[in-house]
Amino acid sequence: MGRIDGKTVVVTGAARGMGAAFAQRLVSEGASVVITDVLTEEGKRTAARLGDAALFVPHDVTDESAWNDVVVQAESAFGPVSGLVNNAGIVHVDPIETLAEADYRKVIDVNQVGVFLGMKAVVGSMRRAGGGSIVNISSVGGIIGFSNILGYTASKWAVRGMTKTAAQEFGPMGIRVNSVHPGVVMTEMTSDSARSNSMFHDQPLARPGTPEELANLVLFLISDESGYSTGSEFVADGGFTSH
């Protein structure tokens, strides 16, 4: 028996990296997973690798109608949605003085508005499922500030607050909402910068995290094992924010 047998979970930004690791871990413990991403070919390959328990749906998280389509396809393939991992995110590096408004708004649209639309889209399906769990992937950048990534930091702080508001609204429906705050994590996209990143050198665990370590935390939050946790931050940063 798996830890989340019978659950239907949507994971955004899951074509590769942490999202793909989340999907793989959830499938390994009995869930059916809808993988969404704008990276169509990589998304298809990830779903194919995970087998019949995975479905890929091309998806722009900033498009409300696309969110509604994801929920329809999830219910048609596997049944009502009982889990959502809002993982899709982008970053743009620029000092505030030269940061273009369009670049700032793009980050906010994906990282913040996308999370709002996702939570809104799944509520009805989660009611039909008898409850559920939403995991919003924030960052240590949602707990402390970092220079040159204003949009990213603003959006990740917003996700932290949105999580708490949603937890209060959704709790009476049997829907839990928590945020996860990774530090430096080694993925295909971040491998070079992660190896050279000075962030983790002075932290208690002086190494980058792995997608699998974050996936174990996401699994716990999607599962009923975390049934009394909602509106909370779960930090996985090797102790970086303990200073």
Side-chain angles (χ1 to χ4, degrees):
M1 294 289 288
R3 293 162 64 186
I4 49 174
D5 282 345
K7 292 185 183 293
T8 299
V9 185
V10 175
V11 184
T12 68
R16 63 184 182 183
M18 285 200 305
F22 299 161
Q24 181 173 340
R25 190 74 181 96
L26 296 171
V27 166
S28 75
E29 289 292 342
S32 298
V33 177
V34 177
I35 292 167
T36 88
D37 211 303
V38 293
L39 302 174
T40 300
E41 294 308 314
E42 288 180 85
K44 288 178 178 178
R45 288 195 293 270
T46 298
R49 187 173 70 248
L50 297 180
D52 292 341
L55 170 70
F56 174 70
V57 178
H59 178 212
D60 175 356
V61 297
T62 69
D63 182 341
E64 185 167 12
S65 64
W67 266 109
N68 295 333
D69 182 59
V70 167
V71 173
V72 168
Q73 292 202 50
E75 291 194 332
S76 177
F78 302 125
V81 176
S82 48
L84 169 64
V85 184
N86 274 315
N87 170 69
I90 61 173
V91 63
H92 180 87
V93 180
D94 244 334
I96 295 170
E97 187 176 14
T98 58
L99 177 61
E101 179 183 351
D103 291 327
Y104 175 82
R105 288 184 180 275
K106 184 176 181 180
V107 174
I108 296 298
D109 280 347
V110 174
N111 295 6
Q112 179 179 337
V113 178
V115 169
F116 154 62
L117 293 175
M119 293 193 295
K120 179 181 179 182
V122 300
V123 171
S125 194
M126 286 189 172
R127 281 203 194 100
R128 291 189 286 276
S133 174
I134 297 172
V135 180
N136 294 326
I137 305 301
S138 180
S139 166
V140 291
I143 296 174
I144 57 178
F146 292 96
S147 61
N148 299 323
I149 53 171
L150 179 70
Y152 183 84
T153 305
S155 66
K156 294 304 185 179
W157 275 78
V159 167
R160 182 182 176 194
M162 291 160 64
T163 295
K164 293 183 181 299
T165 295
Q168 292 180 29
E169 291 188 21
F170 296 171
M173 307 175 198
I175 300 169
R176 298 181 295 108
V177 192
N178 293 287
S179 58
V180 169
H181 299 259
V184 178
V185 178
M186 185 77 74
T187 68
E188 299 100 313
M189 291 184 293
T190 65
S191 58
D192 291 339
S193 61
R195 289 189 184 93
S196 61
N197 198 312
S198 60
M199 274 180 59
F200 63 79
H201 294 315
D202 294 326
Q203 67 191 33
L205 302 180
R207 63 171 178 82
T210 68
E212 292 72 24
E213 288 172 315
L214 271 296
N216 287 332
L217 179 52
V218 168
L219 169 63
F220 169 71
L221 291 173
I222 290 293
S223 79
D224 296 338
E225 296 165 14
S226 57
Y228 198 50
S229 296
T230 196
S232 295
E233 300 98 350
F234 289 79
V235 180
D237 67 350
F240 179 77
T241 54
S242 66
H243 291 290

